[in-house]
């Protein structure tokens, strides 16, 4: 079954996918022993919120995810990765 998305849904979906790709790219820089665990956590977080239909909640989750990614990126930078 194909569901037609309105423009707002389409743009939110694109932002979610972009966040997911960014998270996976940053996870490549993690130390080898924690890389798989980090990817699993990223995947689990996305799966847990997959059924969310509330656009305001989705926007909040995106901004929260971006903030967490920024912190992770800074942490990995400090470690020299």
């Amino acid at each position: 079954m194909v569901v037609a998305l309105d423009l707002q849904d389409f743009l939110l979906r694109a932002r979610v996918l972009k966040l997911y790709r960014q998270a996976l790219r940053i996870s490549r820089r993690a130390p080898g022993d924690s890389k798989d665990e980090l990817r699993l956590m990223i995947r689990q977080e996305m799966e847990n919120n997959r059924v969310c239909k509330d656009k305001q909640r989705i926007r909040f989750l995106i901004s929260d995810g971006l903030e967490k990614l920024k912190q992770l990126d800074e942490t990995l930078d400090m470690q020299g990765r």
Side-chain angles (χ1 to χ4, degrees), residues 3-74:
V3 178
L5 299 176
D6 66 3
L7 181 60
Q8 239 183 5
D9 290 339
F10 179 78
L11 294 174
L12 278 176
R13 183 176 185 273
R15 288 179 64 197
V16 169
L17 292 173
K18 181 180 178 182
L19 175 65
Y20 184 62
R21 286 191 301 269
Q22 285 176 321
L24 291 178
R25 283 187 197 111
I26 289 175
S27 73
R28 289 185 207 152
R29 295 177 28 215
D33 54 339
S34 61
K35 192 180 298 190
D36 291 333
E37 184 179 346
L38 183 58
R39 286 184 184 157
L40 184 62
M41 287 173 45
I42 292 167
R43 173 79 186 245
Q44 188 64 43
E45 191 71 27
M46 289 295 200
E47 287 293 328
N48 288 344
N49 295 299
R50 185 178 198 161
V51 295
C52 182
K53 300 294 182 202
D54 182 11
K55 292 178 185 179
Q56 188 170 358
R57 173 111 175 107
I58 294 170
R59 283 189 214 95
F60 168 77
L61 290 168
I62 290 170
S63 64
D64 187 48
L66 288 170
E67 186 62 36
K68 288 179 182 179
L69 266 186
K70 182 180 174 185
Q71 291 173 355
L72 177 62
D73 193 32
E74 289 172 358

